[in-house]
């Protein structure tokens, strides 16, 4: 099941900004706003380019690093949605977050396994 159910690519909902440049380099922010129960929230991904690296590669390196940051942010969002059992949906300019539907629909609930029962047998080192 997909955790992103949007009419456009997830990247189309990202906002991009650059903070004030420092002597160390440039810092950028990618933001994904979303609505959670009517409350506006956001996920952010920060990335940077050192001054030395920018001097060597110019705007080409900035574009390359931006593409990599977008890819990593997208992967981070997908994992976050999967780990929290949520999905992004909606057709507005800001996606809505909702609980993901369990696979198979409304079957009987299964009690989770006890964490103590699933631990491996202890092993003795140097024994």
């Amino acid at each position: 099941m997909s955790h992103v159910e949007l009419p456009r690519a997830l990247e189309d909902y990202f906002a991009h900004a650059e903070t004030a440049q420092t002597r160390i380099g440039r810092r950028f922010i990618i933001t994904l706003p979303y609505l959670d129960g009517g409350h506006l929230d956001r996920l952010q991904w920060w990335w940077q380019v050192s001054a030395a690296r920018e001097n060597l590669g110019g705007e080409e390196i900035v574009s390359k690093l931006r593409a990599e940051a977008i890819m990593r942010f997208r992967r981070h969002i997908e994992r976050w949605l999967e780990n929290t059992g949520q999905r992004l949906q909606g057709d507005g300019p800001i996606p809505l977050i909702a609980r993901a539907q369990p696979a198979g629909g409304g079957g009987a609930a299964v009690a989770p396994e006890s964490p103590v029962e699933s631990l491996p047998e202890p092993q003795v080192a140097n024994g």
Side-chain angles (χ1 to χ4, degrees):
M1 169 169 85
S2 174
H3 293 280
V4 179
E5 300 169 1
L6 298 169
R8 300 183 318 241
L10 180 59
E11 294 85 347
D12 291 346
Y13 297 89
F14 293 172
H16 299 267
E18 181 176 356
T19 64
Q21 188 169 350
T22 67
R23 59 185 162 87
I24 296 171
R26 296 167 64 185
R27 293 186 63 186
F28 302 86
I29 308 163
I30 307 171
T31 303
L32 171 67
Y34 63 90
L35 291 168
D36 184 4
H39 173 73
L40 183 63
D41 209 341
R42 69 186 180 279
L43 293 171
Q44 290 187 317
W45 190 264
W46 293 68
W47 62 281
Q48 64 184 17
V49 179
S50 70
R53 195 161 186 194
E54 186 177 10
N55 286 339
L56 291 174
E59 282 301 314
E60 277 186 45
I61 194 69
V62 174
S63 295
K64 179 180 181 253
L65 292 173
R66 180 179 192 228
E68 289 175 7
I70 290 169
M71 179 186 66
R72 288 181 178 148
F73 188 37
R74 180 185 175 88
R75 190 174 10 183
H76 171 75
I77 291 168
E78 290 169 346
R79 287 180 183 160
W80 174 72
L81 292 168
E82 182 178 345
N83 290 338
T84 59
Q86 300 179 106
R87 70 177 187 271
L88 286 173
Q89 63 183 26
D91 56 3
I94 299 176
L96 307 171
I97 197 152
R99 298 289 303 158
Q101 299 297 320
V110 177
E113 186 177 305
S114 167
V116 174
E117 294 173 359
S118 65
L119 293 176
E121 288 294 319
Q123 296 180 355
V124 178
N126 298 328

